[in-house]
Amino acid sequence: MRILQTSFMVVLLVGLFIFLVSCAGMKGTPNGYSSHADYISAGQQISCSECHEDQQKGTMKSFASFNHSAVFVKNHGHYAATDDRLCASCHKSSFCTDCHTNKTEIKPSLLYGNRPDRELPHRGNYMTLHKIEGKLDPSSCYRCHGRSNNERCIACHR
Amino acid sequence: MKRNLSPLFSAAFLLAFPVAVYAVDISVDSTSIVRFEQRDIPGSSKQDIQPFTQFLGLDARKLGDGNLSLHLYGWGRADMGDTSYGDSKTDGNLTYGYLQYRFEKTDADIRAGRFFVREGIINEQVDGISARTDLPFGFGLSAFGGATVHTEDLYGENSDGKGDYIAGGRISFRHKGLLELGISGVYEDTAPALVNYVNGTNRKIGADIWLSPHRAIELVGHSSYNTETSEMAEHRYLLNLRPATGLVLSGEYSDQREQSLFYSWAMFSGAAVNPGDKARTTAITASYYLDKTTEIILGYKHYNREIGNADRYGGDMKLSFMDNRLRGGLGYYYLQAGDNFAITGTSSASYHNLRAYVMHDTKTYFSSVEALCRLFDEKIYGEDTAYEAAFSLGYHITPALALSGDISYGKNPDYQDETKGLVRLTYNMTYDNKGEKK
């Protein structure tokens, strides 16, 4: 508890210091993200660098980092954790909450049964497989079902 | 807390409609689904399930001075046949519902209501307020606080195991599109004591990094530390290399102390996990676009836990033709897993997974076919194969309104026969302030 309180105090003080220093030099940085929703069709494999030259402006990250290759889709959590405002230039919040939510009614793969290209999790009968995959890598369950979205789990895990 | 707030948010959800009428841009996303399902579980009587579920999302933008927006999403279900889940024939949930004010500079915004926070090591749902802004010299700040969104009570308990309030934030620093460093933390109210589960309080701090010294090299990941157990919870890192156009080579590494990572996962008594238990995964993946029509993915992943080791390897091919209107995919992987990963009462966890799909979209109709097959090395509940075939066909009544139907049939170790069908009506439209469709 003491470590936590000390850590939070340190983080708070560092944050306050950065905030004050930054505000002193603040002239108003323009917003970086705008909506792309009107330009992109459903199912399009997005390659940011197809339209944007991969030049660095200010602190923007390389567009190539966000090309939606299979590697990006599989590891999208890393990017959403720091750049969700960029995600929001194309995706509504509901796009995320189809899977990452507190309470689901229908498996995402069933809700979007007409979109097998979206590779949504738990395809087919996952009841059998989860008994293997859960032992193999429980952290993969935890990321969606850990502290939320656990209603279905409680039905059996008592 | 949940019981008090849920009706309030439900009321806000309804009240939002008249508010939204005055918005300049209103976007409505509606999906109505009626499912038809017959369940035949060995040892149980057959069930006929026909739940009607309505998913509804509403985004009202350019409210007030033009920078205010309202975002709502939720669902409700009513069973028309046997009870589809739990004890009640009706259910519903407000997934999120918040007002957001986005400032004209500094990518700053303030949100109030029910929303998700994903910042650094934080991934939480909150009924409260959040704020964030970019600052000069590459710094950024975000903070949130409010009531924890509770889920279903655990079996035999009057709680889901979470504390009642939660707060946290992230400080970040970016340098010239080459580097981002972040420090984040989450502090939750002390977790309630449970009768049947061993519970822990959710308090963690962590650091994240994104480093790209050259556009062909990228390192991204985070480490988290559980202040309750005074142990590292997780290291999780990804290295991407892009040596040629269309080619991505990635290496992934994760290392977890299971007690510290799962400490507040009350349902599995995470706080009671042996403090020495560790899990480690390493993976390599290669993704290559042969051309605009074809992507090939090959992957290998190694799992290491206290109970044994496992390996998964295989590949996928994704195809896209006719300006993306015709798409398809093929996939195969094999999981070779130690006996300790096997389902209780069976002797092997190893299996082959095969999948194929094809889909076609036109301005009038859309369709897809998908086939899944799993071949188990040893029989599970007397079955060595699980399969499912699914077919979907839809019609665009208007560009915004579509009617579609899915039907699937499968057989697997848990269900002797699994036949499912659904009818889906989707409506996705954005209106401007004159009521014109955009």
Side-chain angles (χ1 to χ4, degrees):
Chain A
M1 178 63 86
R2 183 170 290 175
I3 293 172
L4 184 72
Q5 285 172 341
T6 309
S7 304
F8 264 93
M9 284 307 293
V10 169
V11 169
L12 200 65
L13 287 172
V14 170
L16 188 63
F17 176 74
I18 292 169
F19 183 74
L20 290 173
V21 170
S22 299
C23 287
M26 184 178 258
K27 290 174 183 169
T29 318
N31 284 346
Y33 309 115
S34 60
S35 174
H36 288 51
D38 295 341
Y39 317 124
I40 294 163
S41 61
Q44 191 176 339
Q45 294 296 302
I46 299 304
S47 174
C48 307
S49 48
E50 208 169 273
C51 299
H52 296 278
E53 285 184 39
D54 209 8
Q55 58 190 25
Q56 307 297 336
K57 286 181 183 173
T59 58
M60 282 181 70
K61 295 175 181 175
S62 161
F63 285 114
S65 296
F66 299 94
N67 288 345
H68 284 22
S69 67
V71 170
F72 176 89
V73 172
K74 185 165 159 262
N75 297 290
H76 66 273
H78 283 297
Y79 300 91
T82 55
D83 288 279
D84 69 337
R85 282 172 289 185
L86 181 62
C87 304
S89 62
C90 295
H91 299 291
K92 292 178 179 174
S93 296
S94 58
F95 185 85
C96 310
T97 57
D98 284 337
C99 298
H100 304 280
T101 188
N102 60 325
K103 185 173 179 176
T104 46
E105 168 62 5
I106 301 177
K107 279 197 308 181
S109 58
L110 202 59
L111 177 59
Y112 296 100
N114 55 342
R115 291 291 308 276
D117 58 323
R118 282 187 62 179
E119 312 277 349
L120 292 162
H122 304 349
R123 311 198 73 77
N125 170 259
Y126 197 72
M127 186 66 77
T128 306
L129 280 200
H130 94 282
K131 297 167 194 169
I132 295 171
E133 299 289 343
K135 288 182 188 174
L136 199 65
D137 184 8
S139 70
S140 67
C141 309
Y142 178 73
R143 291 184 209 293
C144 287
H145 299 286
R147 290 173 35 78
S148 56
N149 192 10
N150 59 10
E151 189 185 18
R152 303 288 160 134
C153 313
I154 291 167
C156 299
H157 292 280
R158 297 178 168 187
Chain B
M1 185 68 77
K2 174 184 68 173
R3 285 89 192 162
N4 296 333
L5 284 174
S6 291
L8 290 176
F9 277 99
S10 302
F13 193 63
L14 292 172
L15 289 171
F17 285 95
V19 172
V21 167
Y22 299 103
V24 172
D25 277 2
I26 301 171
S27 172
V28 178
D29 297 287
S30 164
T31 302
S32 312
I33 287 179
V34 181
R35 281 178 287 162
F36 303 92
E37 198 171 322
Q38 193 173 74
R39 292 177 186 166
D40 185 6
I41 303 171
S44 302
S45 57
K46 281 189 179 180
Q47 286 179 293
D48 287 312
I49 314 283
Q50 291 122 33
F52 169 78
T53 311
Q54 176 64 49
F55 295 84
L56 185 63
L58 187 141
D59 298 271
R61 293 189 171 82
K62 300 180 184 174
L63 292 163
D65 66 355
N67 296 316
L68 185 67
S69 58
L70 175 72
H71 306 272
L72 296 163
Y73 190 80
W75 59 266
R77 183 247 300 158
D79 285 320
M80 298 187 292
D82 292 332
T83 304
S84 62
Y85 179 75
D87 301 323
S88 174
K89 287 202 165 196
T90 58
D91 202 358
N93 186 249
L94 176 65
T95 307
Y96 59 79
Y98 60 91
L99 279 167
Q100 176 171 346
Y101 189 85
R102 191 169 186 226
F103 293 84
E104 290 177 2
K105 301 280 184 183
T106 69
D107 273 324
D109 65 49
I110 294 174
R111 291 182 294 173
R114 172 172 291 186
F115 51 85
F116 287 86
V117 180
R118 298 186 181 94
E119 294 271 352
I121 65 157
I122 305 163
N123 185 5
E124 303 289 347
Q125 189 186 25
V126 182
D127 284 334
I129 188 163
S130 78
R132 60 185 173 185
T133 182
D134 286 349
L135 296 168
F137 313 121
F139 288 103
L141 272 179
S142 71
F144 73 93
T148 314
V149 177
H150 290 281
T151 54
E152 197 75 11
D153 288 349
L154 294 163
Y155 181 72
E157 309 282 352
N158 294 315
S159 162
D160 64 350
K162 294 182 189 176
D164 282 336
Y165 66 83
I166 188 167
R170 179 171 179 263
I171 301 167
S172 63
F173 170 72
R174 286 185 175 190
H175 179 67
K176 290 185 177 176
L178 303 174
L179 171 71
E180 177 172 7
L181 295 171
I183 301 170
S184 51
V186 60
Y187 184 98
E188 192 171 284
D189 182 24
T190 303
L194 302 173
V195 177
N196 304 309
Y197 303 84
V198 182
N199 196 15
T201 299
N202 178 32
R203 288 170 192 170
K204 284 178 189 162
I205 54 172
D208 57 86
I209 184 172
W210 179 87
L211 174 67
S212 182
H214 184 276
R215 67 178 59 179
I217 304 170
E218 179 187 43
L219 174 71
V220 59
H222 64 257
S223 294
S224 59
Y225 178 83
N226 190 320
T227 56
E228 296 294 294
T229 60
S230 301
E231 290 258 27
M232 292 304 298
E234 182 182 43
H235 301 288
R236 190 171 158 84
Y237 291 88
L238 175 75
L239 175 67
N240 286 333
L241 304 175
R242 300 184 187 87
T245 305
L247 175 64
V248 184
L249 302 172
S250 93
E252 187 188 328
Y253 173 80
S254 77
D255 188 302
Q256 295 142 1
R257 300 284 174 111
E258 296 190 334
Q259 187 200 40
S260 295
L261 183 64
F262 305 142
Y263 194 68
S264 54
W265 194 2
M267 188 175 58
F268 283 100
S269 293
V273 172
N274 184 341
D277 282 2
K278 297 175 189 171
R280 185 172 294 160
T281 62
T282 47
I284 51 171
T285 309
S287 159
Y288 182 57
Y289 281 96
L290 286 176
D291 51 41
K292 281 197 167 185
T293 65
T294 311
E295 183 184 15
I296 293 175
I297 305 110
L298 296 172
Y300 167 77
K301 190 166 189 174
H302 177 73
Y303 303 82
N304 175 262
R305 290 192 73 202
E306 300 293 325
I307 58 172
N309 296 307
D311 298 284
R312 191 194 309 266
Y313 43 85
D316 291 278
M317 179 185 279
K318 292 182 180 180
L319 303 161
S320 170
F321 302 103
M322 298 165 64
D323 199 21
N324 210 40
R325 283 180 285 123
L326 180 65
R327 280 166 273 167
L330 288 168
Y332 166 78
Y333 68 78
Y334 177 60
L335 176 72
Q336 188 171 41
D339 294 349
N340 286 337
F341 296 109
I343 297 170
T344 307
T346 65
S347 57
S348 172
S350 301
Y351 70 92
H352 301 262
N353 188 88
L354 299 100
R355 177 174 175 249
Y357 71 87
V358 63
M359 52 191 294
H360 187 219
D361 297 345
T362 70
K363 285 185 177 175
T364 52
Y365 80 93
F366 50 97
S367 60
S368 70
V369 180
E370 181 180 18
L372 264 172
C373 181
R374 285 157 189 152
L375 307 169
F376 304 106
D377 279 10
E378 301 287 340
K379 286 186 176 180
I380 296 175
Y381 309 147
E383 298 285 342
D384 58 8
T385 306
Y387 63 84
E388 183 175 297
F391 173 66
S392 178
L393 181 65
Y395 179 72
H396 290 291
I397 299 166
T398 71
L401 184 66
L403 180 69
S404 59
D406 302 352
I407 188 159
S408 69
Y409 175 78
K411 194 170 181 179
N412 54 68
D414 280 284
Y415 295 104
Q416 289 171 341
D417 289 299
E418 193 173 30
T419 307
K420 290 179 289 189
L422 66 78
V423 176
R424 180 191 300 107
L425 187 69
T426 55
Y427 180 73
N428 303 307
M429 178 53 74
T430 300
Y431 298 92
D432 62 19
N433 63 335
K434 295 170 187 164
E436 301 286 331
K437 295 174 182 175
K438 291 182 78 177

